[in-house]
Amino acid sequence: MKNCPLISAAGVLVLIILVIIGQWQISMDRGDTAVVVMHHPDDVMGTNCALAAVVAHHKTNRAKDALDRAEEVLRRIESQMSSWRDDSEVARFRDAEAGSEIRVSPDTLAVMYAARTAFERTGQAFDVTCRPQLELWRQADQLDQEPTAAQLSEARLASSWAGIHLTATGIVKHEPRTSLDLGGIAKGYAIDLALQSLRQAELPGGLVDVGGDLACFGTQPGGQPWLVDVKDPDLPGSFARLQIVDRAVATSGDYARQIEIAGKRYSHIIDPRTGLPADAARSATVVASTAVIADIWATALSVLGPDGFDRLPEGVEALIISAGEHGRRFICTPGFRDLLTAPMPEDWECRSDGRTQVADNRTEESSSQEQYP
Ligand code: AMP
Ligand code: MG
């Protein structure tokens, strides 16, 4: 018997605890022994990564092959969608001339269709065209000087879906300055695909964690559900544990990758409605059926704050930590409270959200390719 390992390295937003009581190998019903095979690929999407496959102990080679394939999926999506690589499809789009169709992979296209729907459903809080604004604030960080009103309005004008048309095979760029940043959605999409490739190995359980955003299926050895600890954005350690079955969890926050200008800290998430860094939440943790949905809404709720709960689609649950004059506030949806392994702390607010079933307003053009966010 070995001690229980923690999947995620220190510093990631969410820690997954594999086995609660410290058992690594647990007998299965067939008298077989199940083990968790772990893989920690280096530097995936610029962050820590942990892949886990539950497998009968005599089939560990099968698990290793499945984990290798899942890693390949993550690296492929990164190479297509990274804003930081000059050879990615996103970089090709940025450098393309206006008026031409830039052919992209089906994956990038699927992400773009999902992002376009998310733009509408989040009330324009989630906007992958906001790259000119992100670049302006990164530049301001380097110069240690806030952008001027003129620069802000120019960057907002350049950030627009009006400059983009999606076709069945690619993206048409109408405006020369239009560019994309898929940093708020690509990781979730990649996690879903990697998990799908683990599922194809017909394992009893699996988990993909990239930088604290994760998705899982099945169970741990012994049939126990996966447990996810949510890290406190302000203090060491975690403050909540969730029991997750066949779902995904993503966390966004203003404490990650901050911008600092004249000693003042700003979020790396932009409110596209104002062009200013978001300040509605210290952190937003979202649980959803897929990682791409969780990723989108964690970023969107960082912009919208708890008012965004009314917009959440059915089955999407959230916790927001906000910092106000009177200290920190913890506000969650009733469905999030139900995922906690312990009673909800008394100082948390559980907001009965006013969400309604969101009408499915997909167009014929998009319905075949879109992942519903
Ligand atoms: P996440 O950690 O998933 O919240 O993603 C944050 C990243 O998404 C940022 O580093 C930007 O690359 C990008 N981003 C920032 N603001 C927005 C926004 N309002 N909508 C979509 N993506 C954004
Ligand atoms: Mg996100």
Side-chain angles (χ1 to χ4, degrees):
M1 232 189 304
K2 295 181 189 163
N3 283 335
C4 154
L6 282 177
I7 295 185
S8 303
V12 299
L13 303 181
V14 181
L15 300 175
I16 318 305
I17 297 180
L18 269 182
V19 186
I20 316 173
I21 319 281
Q23 291 200 328
W24 177 242
Q25 297 189 327
I26 298 172
S27 285
M28 293 177 88
D29 293 345
R30 299 196 324 262
D32 237 342
T33 303
V35 293
V36 179
V37 180
M38 297 287 309
H39 180 39
H40 294 271
D42 279 344
D43 191 18
V44 174
M45 300 187 157
T47 186
N48 303 313
C49 177
L51 307 172
V54 180
V55 68
H57 82 283
H58 62 280
K59 291 184 181 165
T60 50
N61 280 344
R62 180 160 144 199
K64 284 177 190 156
D65 290 346
L67 294 171
D68 283 344
R69 281 196 299 277
E71 177 187 351
E72 277 167 29
V73 169
L74 294 174
R75 298 209 185 274
R76 172 166 60 81
I77 301 300
E78 180 180 14
S79 72
Q80 289 164 345
M81 302 186 201
S82 169
S83 295
W84 307 104
R85 294 170 66 143
D86 286 339
D87 55 351
S88 71
E89 294 178 350
V90 164
R92 253 191 323 116
F93 180 80
R94 179 199 57 203
D95 299 338
E97 310 234 319
S100 52
E101 182 193 13
I102 296 92
R103 290 201 162 227
V104 294
S105 60
D107 289 316
T108 300
L109 207 51
V111 165
M112 286 300 293
Y113 276 104
R116 188 174 69 178
T117 307
F119 177 67
E120 291 157 16
R121 294 195 175 152
T122 61
Q124 311 190 352
F126 186 86
D127 185 1
V128 297
T129 74
C130 74
R131 184 162 174 172
Q133 296 167 76
L134 290 165
E135 284 176 353
L136 181 63
W137 282 95
R138 281 183 202 131
Q139 190 190 22
D141 181 41
Q142 276 164 10
L143 298 172
D144 203 25
Q145 203 173 350
E146 281 200 30
T148 63
Q151 285 175 316
L152 280 171
S153 93
E154 198 185 324
R156 282 185 68 204
L157 271 178
S159 305
S160 168
W161 275 92
I164 289 175
H165 176 64
L166 302 180
T167 70
T169 48
I171 315 171
V172 180
K173 180 170 175 169
H174 293 310
E175 296 287 336
R177 288 180 307 166
T178 306
S179 58
L180 301 168
D181 187 313
L182 303 182
I185 182 172
K187 198 200 289 176
Y189 182 84
I191 290 170
D192 285 335
L193 277 197
L195 197 77
Q196 203 177 310
S197 88
L198 278 186
R199 273 182 197 275
Q200 281 163 1
E202 294 180 0
L203 306 165
L207 182 147
V208 177
D209 172 348
V210 182
D213 292 352
L214 63 101
C216 59
F217 71 89
T219 59
Q220 300 184 59
Q224 298 175 62
W226 298 97
L227 298 172
V228 176
D229 279 4
V230 185
K231 186 178 176 286
D232 193 309
D234 298 305
L235 301 167
S238 70
F239 64 86
R241 178 171 288 177
L242 307 173
Q243 189 166 298
I244 299 294
V245 178
D246 288 336
R247 291 176 106 181
V249 186
T251 299
S252 295
D254 73 357
Y255 52 91
R257 286 176 286 146
Q258 282 170 335
I259 288 166
E260 192 169 329
I261 303 167
K264 188 171 171 202
R265 293 186 161 196
Y266 298 90
S267 174
H268 68 298
I269 297 170
I270 291 291
D271 182 343
R273 302 163 307 173
T274 61
L276 303 174
D279 63 358
R282 290 279 295 130
S283 85
T285 298
V286 174
V287 182
S289 57
T290 65
V292 73
I293 295 175
D295 196 3
I296 287 168
W297 281 99
T299 307
L301 289 180
S302 300
V303 174
L304 297 168
D307 291 347
F309 283 6
D310 290 351
R311 292 185 171 273
L312 288 174
E314 285 296 313
V316 180
E317 308 300 342
L319 164 71
I320 286 183
I321 304 176
S322 64
E325 284 169 27
H326 306 293
R328 302 200 301 170
R329 286 175 66 202
F330 295 74
I331 308 149
C332 70
T333 60
F336 190 95
R337 177 196 53 202
D338 295 345
L339 294 168
L340 294 168
T341 54
M344 187 180 90
E346 278 179 9
D347 58 342
W348 286 27
E349 292 165 49
C350 186
R351 189 173 287 190
S352 285
D353 40 25
R355 65 178 118 170
T356 48
Q357 186 81 43
V358 181
D360 190 342
N361 58 356
R362 290 178 290 180
T363 61
E364 251 180 46
E365 176 198 25
S366 67
S367 58
S368 60
Q369 320 195 34
E370 180 187 352
Q371 296 216 349
Y372 168 59

